[in-house]
């Protein structure tokens, strides 16, 4: 018999979202009449809008014709890579710098193959769990200490620092995962903050993995949607992004990663060239049907649908935020992001999660699942049908804090 990968042994049992699903199932089993509403996992609920759907249909139909058939498209359709550069980056990247993926999470999981186990990792605390779990799996972080993983630098993002980390605490030569609009806090970094981040990265030899999965939820025109709006970022940042939340592609699976040609390792080698090699080796490209849908999403009708869909979820976010405010619960987010981050001082997140489930039959996400600084917080997701969100908001009135 061969030994188990010790990195797997290091990982904490139970990934956050399946653990929430387990607790929901357990509650449902003991309360068979309960109509449970989920404001937990950030999973889209609304149908794909007609123009984008038509793109998917046509993509599938083309595959049934001799002229339209296509097979492997390893780095992604050239037309889609060019379109992504044009729509999101004012055309400042060549197609060679844009890699089509089967979703942001999948590339986040693969990205550390570039750097290996020896590269220290820093994260915003709280943050999307895949950043730390992926680091543990590659061996860049050690075991669970009860507070977090050893070897990871957690930079608290709290009300005290307006949910933006103290950059002076960033270790030299590390990989830093940064998410804006942030999951779970909903905070969006402004241009000055991102300029400070890029300056710190350039000074300390850091590579930023910028997760912009929720960029299309930004409504404040002054807030940057991409790290590449910031001068100098091409030398220190990789950006991952996704069609999941703007276009409802959580089940379709399509995303992209931008790796600028200027990005270099300490030895001067090209990160872009290595990413091309890695994706060419362990990834065979996103579905051609999904990419046809992605192209439709980025033409003028598709962009209008993206706006309509994200407006809808932002409408849900407003309802949730208002309901919490009425209860006197302090919360942030929900204005430029689909997440509301609510504070329950002195309480354990999982206890609040259980109380909301018990009294309101509403599933949420406990803040501690996103990192030590998330304890005493609950994340409410705005992804839901309107009637369910309204019902959940009315049930929240059963709580008293
Ligand atoms: C549950 C900051 C959700 N099973 O769909 P993708 O792979 O293009 O994007 C995933 C993703 C990437 N980056 C950020 C995200 O928040 C997400 C999705 N996060 C959530 O509730 O936090 C879905 C989580 C899913 C998962 O584990 O990703």
């Amino acid at each position: 018999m061969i030994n188990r990968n010790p990195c797997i042994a290091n990982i904490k049992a139970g990934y956050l979202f399946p653990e929430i699903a387990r607790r929901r199932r357990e509650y449902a089993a003991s309360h068979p009449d309960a109509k449970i509403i989920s404001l937990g996992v950030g999973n889209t609920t609304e149908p794909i809008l007609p123009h984008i759907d038509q793109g998917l249909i046509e993509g599938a139909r083309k595959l049934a014709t001799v002229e339209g058939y296509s097979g492997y498209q390893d780095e992604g359709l050239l037309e889609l890579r060019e379109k992504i550069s044009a729509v999101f980056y004012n055309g400042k990247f060549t197609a060679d710098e844009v890699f089509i993926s089967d979703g942001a999470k999948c590339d986040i999981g693969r990205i550390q193959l570039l750097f290996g186990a020896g590269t220290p990792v820093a994260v915003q605390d709280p943050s999307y769990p895949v950043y730390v779990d992926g680091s543990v799996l590659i061996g860049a972080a050690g075991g669970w200490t009860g507070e977090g993983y050893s070897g990871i630098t957690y930079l608290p993002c709290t009300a005290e620092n307006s949910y933006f980390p103290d950059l002076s605490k960033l270790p030299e030569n590390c990989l830093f995962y940064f998410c804006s609009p942030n999951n779970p806090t909903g905070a969006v970094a402004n241009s000055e903050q991102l300029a400070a981040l890029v300056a710190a990265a350039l000074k300390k030899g850091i590579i930023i993995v910028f997760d912009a999965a929720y960029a299309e939820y930004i409504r404040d025109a002054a807030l940057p949607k991409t790290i590449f709006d910031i001068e100098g970022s091409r030398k220190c940042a990789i950006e991952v992004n996704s069609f999941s939340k703007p276009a409802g592609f959580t089940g379709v699976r399509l995303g992209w990663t931008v790796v600028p040609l200027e990005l270099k390792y300490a030895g001067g080698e090209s990160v872009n060239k290595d990413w091309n090699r890695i994706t060419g080796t362990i990834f065979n490209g996103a579905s051609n049907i999904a990419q046809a849908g992605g192209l439709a999403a980025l033409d003028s009708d598709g962009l209008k649908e993206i706006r309509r869909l994200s407006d809808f979820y932002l409408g849900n976010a407003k309802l949730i935020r208002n309901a919490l405010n009425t209860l006197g619960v302090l919360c942030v987010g929900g204005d430029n992001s689909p997440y509301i981050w609510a504070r329950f001082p002195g309480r354990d997140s999982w206890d609040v999660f259980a109380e909301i489930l018990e009294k309101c039959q509403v599933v949420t996400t406990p803040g501690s699942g996103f990192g030590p600084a998330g304890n005493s917080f609950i994340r409410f997701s705005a992804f839901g049908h309107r009637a369910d969100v309204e019902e959940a908001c009315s049930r929240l009135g059963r709580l008293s804090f």
Side-chain angles (χ1 to χ4, degrees):
M1 297 294 277
I2 63 169
N3 292 326
R4 184 187 192 199
N5 176 349
C7 298
I8 299 179
N10 275 339
I11 205 154
K12 196 166 151 259
Y15 176 54
L16 176 64
F17 297 107
E19 176 60 20
I20 291 168
R22 189 189 68 74
R23 293 190 190 214
R24 176 192 172 139
R25 276 195 308 276
E26 207 173 83
Y27 181 83
S30 56
H31 299 78
D33 296 330
K35 184 184 175 300
I36 300 173
I37 298 173
S38 177
L39 302 181
V41 61
N43 199 1
T44 46
T45 55
E46 302 311 293
I48 290 175
L49 289 167
H51 176 77
I52 299 175
D53 189 44
Q54 196 54 38
L56 290 166
I57 292 167
E58 278 165 23
R61 291 224 186 288
K62 268 174 81 176
L63 292 178
T65 66
V66 173
E67 316 72 49
Y69 179 77
S70 54
Y72 295 125
Q73 299 283 333
D74 296 7
E75 296 99 359
L77 293 174
L78 178 64
E79 199 186 343
L80 181 58
R81 288 148 65 202
E82 288 174 346
K83 191 84 182 164
I84 286 171
S85 176
V87 169
F88 296 111
Y89 306 104
N90 288 323
K92 62 187 167 202
F93 290 107
T94 64
D96 290 345
E97 296 171 290
V98 180
F99 296 81
I100 305 300
S101 71
D102 49 349
K105 177 179 177 179
C106 316
D107 266 0
I108 292 163
R110 291 185 277 256
I111 225 151
Q112 278 178 278
L113 289 173
L114 287 166
F115 309 103
T119 299
V121 172
V123 293
Q124 291 164 290
D125 176 18
S127 66
Y128 180 42
V130 181
Y131 311 147
V132 286
D133 287 1
S135 306
V136 176
L137 286 176
I138 197 106
W144 180 252
T145 65
E147 286 281 294
Y149 285 105
S150 64
I152 298 256
T153 302
Y154 292 86
L155 298 184
C157 294
T158 61
E160 288 67 38
N161 57 18
S162 303
Y163 300 96
F164 186 80
D166 178 354
L167 300 175
S168 72
K169 300 281 190 315
L170 273 172
E172 305 235 321
N173 308 317
C174 74
L175 192 64
F176 182 34
Y177 288 92
F178 192 94
C179 179
S180 178
N182 188 265
N183 175 16
T185 67
V188 187
N190 63 33
S191 299
E192 293 72 36
Q193 290 170 324
L194 288 190
L197 173 61
V198 166
L202 292 172
K203 188 168 161 220
K204 294 187 177 186
I206 290 165
I207 289 184
I208 303 160
V209 177
F210 191 82
D211 187 340
Y214 301 99
E216 291 312 301
Y217 286 79
I218 294 178
R219 290 293 176 271
D220 181 341
L223 293 171
K225 289 186 170 181
T226 162
I227 187 79
F228 295 120
D229 278 354
I230 308 300
E231 217 184 311
S233 55
R234 294 170 78 113
K235 289 191 170 152
C236 64
I238 292 171
E239 182 163 300
V240 288
N241 210 320
S242 171
F243 286 84
S244 284
K245 305 304 159 66
F249 274 26
T250 44
V252 176
R253 309 306 305 148
L254 189 67
W256 71 92
T257 293
V258 178
V259 186
L261 290 169
E262 291 92 327
L263 190 66
K264 299 279 159 51
Y265 299 101
E269 309 91 334
S270 162
V271 178
N272 174 288
K273 209 168 152 198
D274 280 0
W275 186 241
N276 201 345
R277 180 74 171 86
I278 288 172
T279 52
T281 304
I282 62 162
F283 178 55
N284 259 347
S287 145
N288 294 351
I289 301 170
Q291 294 188 72
L295 269 173
L298 298 187
D299 67 22
S300 62
D301 287 344
L303 289 169
K304 279 184 204 136
E305 290 188 345
I306 284 180
R307 181 74 182 201
R308 210 167 108 203
L309 187 65
S310 47
D311 272 347
F312 172 83
Y313 290 124
L314 285 169
N316 284 348
K318 196 170 178 186
L319 291 174
I320 298 166
R321 210 176 144 142
N322 287 346
L324 290 167
N325 284 339
T326 306
L327 286 172
V329 174
L330 285 176
C331 46
V332 290
D335 37 9
N336 293 289
S337 104
Y339 296 122
I340 297 101
W341 190 235
R343 193 175 190 178
F344 298 87
R347 301 282 309 275
D348 175 84
S349 292
W350 279 108
D351 289 347
V352 183
F353 167 90
E355 186 177 340
I356 298 174
L357 183 56
E358 186 66 43
K359 290 187 178 156
C360 310
Q361 289 81 51
V362 171
V363 176
T364 57
T365 304
S368 56
F370 298 98
N375 202 14
S376 299
F377 284 85
I378 288 286
R379 188 195 76 173
F380 289 83
S381 154
F383 295 106
H385 301 309
R386 181 59 53 85
D388 288 342
V389 171
E390 284 170 349
E391 170 66 16
C393 288
S394 116
R395 290 188 201 165
L396 289 176
R398 298 174 194 165
L399 300 167
S400 55
F401 295 106

